[in-house]
Amino acid sequence: MTKRLFTALTTVFAAIALLALTSGTASAYQPVDIVHTEDVQAGPYHLTIGFSQWPLRAMQSLDFTFIPDGGIADKSGTLSEVQPGGKVRRTEPLSRHPRKREVWGLDVRSLDKQGDWTFRFAIDGPQGHGEGELRNLAVLQQPGPPLGVSWAISSLPLFGLIAFLTYAWRRTRPALRVAQPV
């Protein structure tokens, strides 16, 4: 009994040690790779907008970074995403990028329509208030098949599973079994 307990405790301890030693590597963030930049003047403030993928495609997740000259420490601001056609999709405060904490940014964000987007910036800082925009941000067609086709194809295994479970349930239902004479 003691040898079994020792073996079990050793195995549990080894598993915990392995998890503790490898969890740091597993939870490490990938760095934000900027492959293209655009410049915007928002009043007295110069901003460099970075993109993790270029060219941009609709429905494709990517990272955006917004880097004002002199850093973000003494500044605040808002970003408005304007869709093709002029409708404001969302307005939100500029916040630190979760994986690149020294700049503002958006993490794993996608633009949902093809066309020319506009990013509007309003920045407040030691030099006052400034506004600017990045116009004609071309977003190309969504990669891959249309969204409806993708959903239909990916739903086929679910429908197969439902059909199988229905068949199995009907075959094993006790109410349908005929009592055998003794």
Side-chain angles (χ1 to χ4, degrees):
M1 181 75 164
T2 306
K3 188 172 182 178
R4 272 195 217 172
L5 181 62
F6 178 74
T7 305
L9 287 175
T10 304
T11 304
V12 168
F13 179 72
I16 290 172
L18 183 63
L19 284 173
L21 292 174
T22 60
S23 65
T25 305
S27 66
Y29 288 122
Q30 293 294 323
V32 178
D33 293 328
I34 303 301
V35 298
H36 180 79
T37 60
E38 296 282 336
D39 293 320
V40 172
Q41 193 65 36
Y45 305 103
H46 177 264
L47 269 139
T48 302
I49 293 106
F51 303 90
S52 64
Q53 305 218 354
W54 194 261
L56 302 180
R57 297 193 174 273
M59 304 299 287
Q60 183 177 32
S61 296
L62 66 149
D63 290 314
F64 297 94
T65 58
F66 310 110
I67 308 166
D69 286 350
I72 64 172
D74 55 353
K75 298 173 190 75
S76 64
T78 59
L79 165 69
S80 297
E81 299 173 7
V82 182
Q83 296 176 335
K87 181 181 176 190
V88 176
R89 177 183 179 206
R90 80 173 42 130
T91 298
E92 59 189 310
L94 287 167
S95 59
R96 292 177 185 262
H97 191 285
R99 291 180 285 139
K100 194 172 178 112
R101 303 292 294 163
E102 68 276 4
V103 301
W104 291 321
L106 303 173
D107 184 38
V108 194
R109 180 71 63 91
S110 67
L111 303 174
D112 57 356
K113 288 186 179 180
Q114 176 183 347
D116 289 334
W117 285 70
T118 301
F119 281 178
R120 288 190 187 132
F121 299 93
I123 299 177
D124 294 306
Q127 297 173 352
H129 181 77
E131 293 185 8
E133 52 185 40
L134 174 61
R135 294 184 185 159
N136 301 326
L137 182 60
V139 177
L140 304 177
Q141 185 177 2
Q142 171 189 345
L147 207 51
V149 173
S150 295
W151 275 96
I153 291 171
S154 66
S155 298
L156 289 176
L158 175 65
F159 293 139
L161 177 65
I162 290 170
F164 171 75
L165 292 175
T166 302
Y167 174 76
W169 177 70
R170 291 187 58 130
R171 297 270 306 171
T172 59
R173 243 179 31 198
L176 293 180
R177 292 186 186 176
V178 178
Q180 298 290 330
V182 180

